[in-house]
Amino acid sequence: MWLFVPLLLQAAGAQAPVPPTTYELLRAEHARGTDMRAIDAALVSGASVRQRLAVRAVGRFEQSALEPKVIPLLTARTASVRREAVNALGQMRSRYDLAALLTGEKDASVRAVIYETLGRIPTAPGANATAVVAANTAAAQHLTDGLRETDPLVRAGAARGIESLLRRAARVNAPSASTLQAIRDAVCSDSASDTRQLLLLALTAANDRDSTTVAVALRDTSAEVRRVGVALGRIWVNDNAPMVRWQALRVAGTCARAAAHVRDTSEHVALLAIDLLGDQKCTDAASLAALDGESGADASWRHQAHAALSLAKVAPGRASAVVQRLAISTTWQARVYAANAAKLLKDSATLNALALDKEPNVVIAAMTTREQALRALLSDHAGLVLAAAAQLKGDANLASALPQMRGAFDRFTAMDRVRLRDPRAALLERIGEAADGPSTVWLRERLKDPDPAIASSAAQYLSKITGATVLPITTRYEPAAFPSAEQLRGLDGATATMRIRGIGNVELALRFDDAPMAVHTFVTLASAGKFNGLTFHRIVSNFVIQGGSPGADEYDPITDTFMRDEVGLARNARGSFGISTRGRDTGDGQIYVNLVNNFRLDHDYTVFADVTRGLDLIDRVQEGDVIESIVVRRATTSAPRRP
């Protein structure tokens, strides 16, 4: 009935309300559900683009109470609106009977999202074991039916659903034999790369290592499929694709195989081979010779660093000279490895020297004493202060460190950088453990901290100390001001070039439609040169690389405020860029790049760009590689568009 409201108004001679603009809808989404006027108007406007943006926003709020606003859009005229409505229900963990929609829904793209969402939604909290089994069994039946549909898009959606379902539930509720057989059959009959990967991942979650299915995967022309097949079968292959070789070495590496690959053409594979020689305690002559070769002064610092750690595990006498060389390296990342190896060697002299290093990350790796932790509390490096708080855990004289810990917390708070949650939360935990009278007064001031997570923790500690229930004053994070229309102009269709030192230029297409605020923040930081000179500090082969931290760590953000999530139907596909977070709406501006299709990150992490050229260069990035510059080219058309 609501779809005909504009027509009824016209028939009555009334003026239909002007629907909100795209800009107004984006601003309303940024308000995180506190002002629903523009969104409500768009939902009933009959304008498909506005409805799509509005229902997507409602889903991103992840508030189950808003479900009644979404349900009418399940029968909207436009398929794109229906897709977003289904996905919105998935984001809010709705209990709506999505399977019932399959009876009348004809559009393949919508059916695909229905199937995908059926596998995403967990059973109701508190449900008994019988109810959980029944719900999972029913979902599995619907999803295996989807695997048999004729449209490949629908089958892909069903594969996404079955992978999500088994990843979530297979450990506690093993899938039936018929479900597993349906998945195996689909692997053999459907050659679409993404579909096969998802189905193989579903079998992996169920620990079903059917040899016939694995053999099909290993014959696939897609390296991504072969990689997942190797992981499922846990078998050795010497594939021409680095990602497959890495996976094979990871799941079926031996000392001989590792020694043979320390000079692999892919540095990801070579470094893994060096690590395995230590992890697998390879003390045979060939393995030690390989480690000696990679630890020599003529090897790259990364090979030397990884070899030092492996030698410290299997041949400590051979490791000492390498550690001493790394400890005075001009590359601070090498000194981090020296500290880690020195810990294995119990080399206190090297550790004490490195604990005084000018680079905070080296100090973190070398920290072993209370005195070093107390000194670290004077730093403005978030990761170092976090490490200091961890070092002080369980300290017998923790109460005597309360003044230093409160001082560090107050200093970080005074920086007006709310997004420094990690070190402040760690400090607050230590303070709460040893709180005295002055700390109780101090904790009460934290009840109104601008970060609701900090305020909530302070309330919990006070409740424990006083024996009375204490509630936080701050309960909601206030987001940064929404950008002006002028600031957003040209971002719809914008591109960027990231220059990586010694590697080359990577071209990106920015996804303004999917993540307007993430794109705006990225462009603002890049245009101001904030990424210039920062490194990729986290390398997880066959997963992601991450960089863009001023502290070259996980805890020092580049933004001044938290970034809100903009999750949806955008995929964490190989070559896509996303935003690092530590929970909902805590984006820190650090960027990650998917080295493979990371389906399990979908719907949880914001995707804001895709590599259009230079993916082979991304594959070469290793720890310490430097982002020299990011140049953004705005589109010439006005933005945001006003559909």
Side-chain angles (χ1 to χ4, degrees), residues 386-438:
L386 180 67
Q391 180 69 33
L392 291 170
K393 183 177 177 64
D395 187 271
N397 297 311
L398 186 59
S400 65
L402 281 169
Q404 293 99 315
M405 293 189 295
R406 290 195 300 260
F409 184 102
D410 291 342
R411 187 176 68 257
F412 273 40
T413 302
M415 294 176 187
D416 193 26
R417 294 157 74 187
V418 173
R419 77 279 200 273
L420 288 169
R421 174 181 288 176
D422 295 290
R424 295 200 309 142
L427 288 166
L428 191 60
E429 183 179 354
R430 295 289 89 79
I431 293 167
E433 290 171 359
D436 53 10

Side-chain angles (χ1 to χ4, degrees), residues 497-567:
T497 300
M498 173 184 287
R499 182 169 184 79
I500 304 173
R501 182 177 300 166
I503 293 180
N505 292 344
V506 177
E507 301 292 336
L508 308 177
L510 305 184
R511 303 183 67 135
F512 180 81
D513 183 64
D514 290 310
M517 280 303 297
V519 168
H520 164 70
T521 301
F522 174 78
V523 167
T524 301
L525 293 169
S527 299
K530 297 294 186 181
F531 288 107
N532 298 0
L534 301 184
T535 64
F536 287 96
H537 61 271
R538 181 182 179 219
I539 309 295
V540 186
S541 301
N542 276 12
F543 182 47
V544 299
I545 60 174
Q546 183 175 328
S549 165
D553 66 356
E554 298 289 291
Y555 309 106
D556 284 86
I558 190 173
T559 54
D560 291 330
T561 58
F562 286 138
M563 297 171 63
R564 64 174 173 81
D565 295 327
E566 294 174 290
V567 295

Side-chain angles (χ1 to χ4, degrees), residues 175-458:
S176 67
S178 61
T179 295
L180 292 176
Q181 189 58 54
I183 297 172
R184 296 186 207 116
D185 291 344
V187 170
C188 297
S189 63
D190 195 327
S191 61
S193 175
D194 281 9
T195 301
R196 269 193 175 163
Q197 290 171 60
L198 287 156
L199 295 172
L200 291 166
L201 289 169
L203 293 174
T204 302
N207 200 30
D208 182 82
R209 306 184 188 282
D210 176 69
S211 59
T212 301
T213 309
V214 172
V216 169
L218 296 182
R219 292 194 298 269
D220 199 285
T221 58
S222 165
E224 288 264 32
V225 174
R226 299 198 303 277
R227 172 186 67 84
V228 182
V230 164
L232 172 60
R234 303 186 69 81
I235 58 176
W236 171 256
V237 296
N238 195 1
D239 198 276
N240 61 357
M243 68 169 64
V244 184
R245 291 201 304 280
W246 187 95
Q247 195 67 57
L249 197 59
R250 185 73 180 84
V251 299
T254 63
C255 293
R257 289 166 182 166
H261 282 80
V262 295
R263 296 291 178 92
D264 195 278
T265 54
S266 164
E267 197 161 16
H268 288 284
V269 178
L271 295 178
L272 173 62
I274 295 170
D275 292 343
L276 283 177
L277 291 174
D279 293 341
Q280 296 192 1
K281 303 295 188 292
C282 301
T283 56
D284 60 282
S287 296
L288 292 176
L291 285 175
D292 285 340
E294 298 312 300
S295 65
D298 58 336
S300 72
W301 75 261
R302 295 188 185 97
H303 283 233
Q304 290 183 54
H306 285 254
L309 279 173
S310 285
L311 284 170
K313 296 173 183 177
V314 299
R318 302 185 189 211
S320 295
V322 190
V323 170
Q324 296 309 311
R325 185 166 64 246
L326 291 171
I328 59 173
S329 171
T330 56
T331 301
W332 67 258
Q333 289 91 344
R335 302 199 299 276
V336 168
Y337 280 85
N340 289 328
K343 283 183 177 177
L344 294 175
L345 297 173
K346 296 181 171 32
D347 181 355
S348 57
T350 298
L351 286 172
N352 289 336
L354 291 173
L356 298 173
D357 200 278
K358 63 181 180 180
E359 167 55 45
N361 288 294
V362 179
V363 179
I364 292 170
M367 186 185 300
T368 57
T369 69
R370 168 190 171 89
E371 290 69 25
Q372 292 164 356
L374 293 177
R375 183 168 63 241
L377 290 177
L378 299 174
S379 172
D380 288 340
H381 186 276
L384 180 52
V385 172
L386 180 67
Q391 180 69 33
L392 291 170
K393 183 177 177 64
D395 187 271
N397 297 311
L398 186 59
S400 65
L402 281 169
Q404 293 99 315
M405 293 189 295
R406 290 195 300 260
F409 184 102
D410 291 342
R411 187 176 68 257
F412 273 40
T413 302
M415 294 176 187
D416 193 26
R417 294 157 74 187
V418 173
R419 77 279 200 273
L420 288 169
R421 174 181 288 176
D422 295 290
R424 295 200 309 142
L427 288 166
L428 191 60
E429 183 179 354
R430 295 289 89 79
I431 293 167
E433 290 171 359
D436 53 10
S439 291
T440 302
V441 176
W442 180 88
L443 280 169
R444 290 196 181 278
E445 286 298 309
R446 307 288 79 75
L447 295 174
K448 54 186 178 183
D449 191 276
D451 185 343
I454 297 295
S456 177
S457 293

